Amino acid sequence: MTTNRGLHHIAYWMDDLDRAMTQATELLGVGPFRVIEHVDLGEFRFRGEPVVLDQQAAFAPWGPAILELTVALAVQPPALAEALGIAPGAVSHTSWWTTDLVAEGEHLAASGCALLTSSVGGAVADWFSGGPLFAHPIEIHQPTVPVRDMWASLADGSRYPDPTAP
């Protein structure tokens, strides 16, 4: 199994994506951002049950990591918003990737990080509670080709069109 537990990206909840991107560019020198109007989570579940998390996200390289700024457009049930700590300015999650999502999930569960959400579709990723380490969730990706391509587009500074755009 190839595991990379080094930071891949860090995400923050925002209430105004345009303002957040402008501030991040001015204060941190990051950009350009790649905006996804409605992130494709595919089959998305919270504690095993189907739920709704419609979100808009912007991604940009930030040194060796990626900065993700996210706005929650619709969240159901309210317990999902609470578990994910959705509040403007709060850390949404830190993330790393793996080639074996099941084994990494078992490792996190054994470390005291409970599985919160899973998505299979546009992204293949699980979110866990921060457990004893973080006050925010952890997202683990087993990246699909479209996700890897999007990450690569950030690394070389190019921008791909939003695959969900009409």
Side-chain angles (χ1 to χ4, degrees):
M1 174 181 88
T2 301
T3 298
N4 176 3
R5 292 194 183 105
L7 179 67
H8 179 268
H9 67 269
I10 185 167
Y12 294 89
W13 293 113
M14 299 285 140
D15 59 356
D16 182 323
L17 195 57
D18 289 331
R19 186 178 75 228
M21 289 187 297
T22 298
Q23 289 175 331
T25 299
E26 291 173 356
L27 296 172
L28 305 173
V30 301
F33 281 89
R34 184 188 185 285
V35 176
I36 300 175
E37 294 298 331
H38 298 276
V39 176
D40 179 7
L41 298 174
E43 182 183 317
F44 188 66
R45 296 184 172 274
F46 170 58
R47 297 182 176 144
E49 298 297 320
V51 293
V52 172
L53 176 59
D54 184 13
Q55 57 185 345
Q56 177 186 40
F59 301 85
W62 186 17
I66 292 172
L67 173 64
E68 177 183 343
L69 304 173
T70 305
V71 174
L73 303 171
V75 184
Q76 286 299 323
L80 174 62
E82 183 179 336
L84 299 182
I86 297 176
V91 173
S92 167
H93 62 274
T94 55
S95 182
W96 58 87
W97 60 268
T98 183
T99 57
D100 189 339
L101 194 58
V102 171
E104 189 64 5
E106 290 169 353
H107 168 75
L108 285 169
S111 300
C113 302
L115 178 65
L116 297 174
T117 71
S118 59
S119 61
V120 179
V124 175
D126 291 340
W127 284 36
F128 295 83
S129 71
L133 185 59
F134 295 125
H136 57 75
I138 299 165
E139 177 186 44
I140 307 301
H141 274 273
Q142 186 167 325
T144 60
V145 170
V147 169
R148 285 195 312 265
D149 287 348
M150 192 274 288
W151 290 347
S153 76
L154 298 171
D156 70 14
S158 66
R159 294 175 63 140
Y160 289 144
D162 182 349
T164 63

